[in-house]
Amino acid sequence: TPEAYIATKVLQGYTQYRADKARAQDINENAVAKAKNIREEAIYKDNSLIREREVKEDQLKEKKLKLKEEELRKKGEVTLAIFEKGIGGNVFDTLVGDVERQAGKDSNIIDQNFDNYMTGMAQDRLAWNRRFTDQINNLPRAYKPSWQTYAIGAGADIGTMYMNNAPPEEPPK
């Protein structure tokens, strides 16, 4: 009967709508859970990179301190040796200047290496940030379906069935 067909089509449209809506909700909930895990992993990775940078900074401070101690020790040795021999003037200034220049060169090398390391670390942090952001952006998303689409589909099916089964208006000649 036409009434049973209409009821079946309406029920099918409603059932399909509910199923698609539930599937979209499930996809979105899974995406939200995965995004949360990725964000937590990103925070953990960023913290580990920050800790790594702090360790490197501590190592730099230690190297600079040792360099300063070495410079002071060498200056003391030069000063003691020169005063023991009774030499002064330009020779003293030249020898102390050589020690200071060498310490300055060593300090510059340490600073350059540290700057290069920090630049690389900043680039690594940005790369990891982009990687995690891309993972989140590439998670599947689903839009909730509109009930009007299913209503129009059911209405079109019902209308097509009615037109196919309706008797002709006038008999063929």
Side-chain angles (χ1 to χ4, degrees), residues 5 8-10 19 25 49 60 76 79 82 88 94 98 109 115 133:
Y5 184 79
T8 303
K9 282 298 176 182
V10 168
Q25 185 175 358
L49 291 173
L60 168 78
T79 304
I82 287 177
T94 301
D98 287 345
I109 289 171
D115 287 343
T133 301

Side-chain angles (χ1 to χ4, degrees), residues 8 50 55 60 116 137:
T8 303
I50 289 170
V55 166
L60 168 78
N116 290 339
N137 289 339

Side-chain angles (χ1 to χ4, degrees), residues 4-153:
Y5 184 79
I6 292 171
T8 303
K9 282 298 176 182
V10 168
L11 184 61
Q12 277 179 340
Y14 178 74
T15 305
Q16 187 63 44
Y17 164 73
R18 297 290 292 174
D20 290 347
K21 183 178 176 184
R23 184 169 181 266
Q25 185 175 358
D26 186 50
I27 288 171
N28 290 336
E29 286 173 356
N30 285 341
V32 166
K34 287 179 184 175
K36 181 181 177 195
N37 290 340
I38 291 171
R39 275 192 291 277
E40 289 173 0
E41 184 180 350
I43 290 168
Y44 177 78
K45 181 65 176 177
D46 194 50
N47 287 341
S48 71
L49 291 173
I50 289 170
R51 279 191 300 278
E52 188 177 324
R53 186 188 73 208
E54 290 170 349
V55 166
K56 196 69 169 179
E57 287 174 349
D58 289 344
Q59 289 172 351
L60 168 78
K61 288 176 186 174
E62 185 179 339
K63 277 184 180 178
K64 285 198 143 198
L65 183 63
K66 284 182 181 178
L67 182 65
K68 193 69 173 167
E69 289 172 357
E70 182 69 18
E71 177 188 1
L72 289 174
R73 187 186 61 75
K74 284 182 181 178
K75 274 186 184 178
E77 287 176 0
V78 166
T79 304
L80 182 62
I82 287 177
F83 284 134
E84 283 179 352
K85 292 185 178 183
I87 303 172
N90 289 338
V91 174
F92 175 77
D93 292 340
T94 301
L95 291 174
V96 170
D98 287 345
V99 169
E100 289 173 349
R101 273 191 295 285
Q102 186 59 44
K105 286 179 185 177
D106 292 344
S107 179
N108 285 340
I109 289 171
I110 290 171
D111 288 342
Q112 287 174 349
N113 288 342
F114 181 73
D115 287 343
N116 290 339
Y117 178 82
M118 286 299 134
T119 302
M121 177 63 71
Q123 290 173 347
D124 284 350
R125 286 182 69 195
L126 287 174
W128 278 104
N129 187 8
R130 281 192 297 273
R131 187 176 298 150
F132 287 124
T133 301
D134 288 345
Q135 286 179 5
I136 290 172
N137 289 339
N138 289 331
L139 289 172
R141 306 276 193 308
Y143 293 102
K144 290 182 180 176
S146 171
W147 63 270
Q148 291 128 339
T149 306
Y150 297 92
I152 290 170

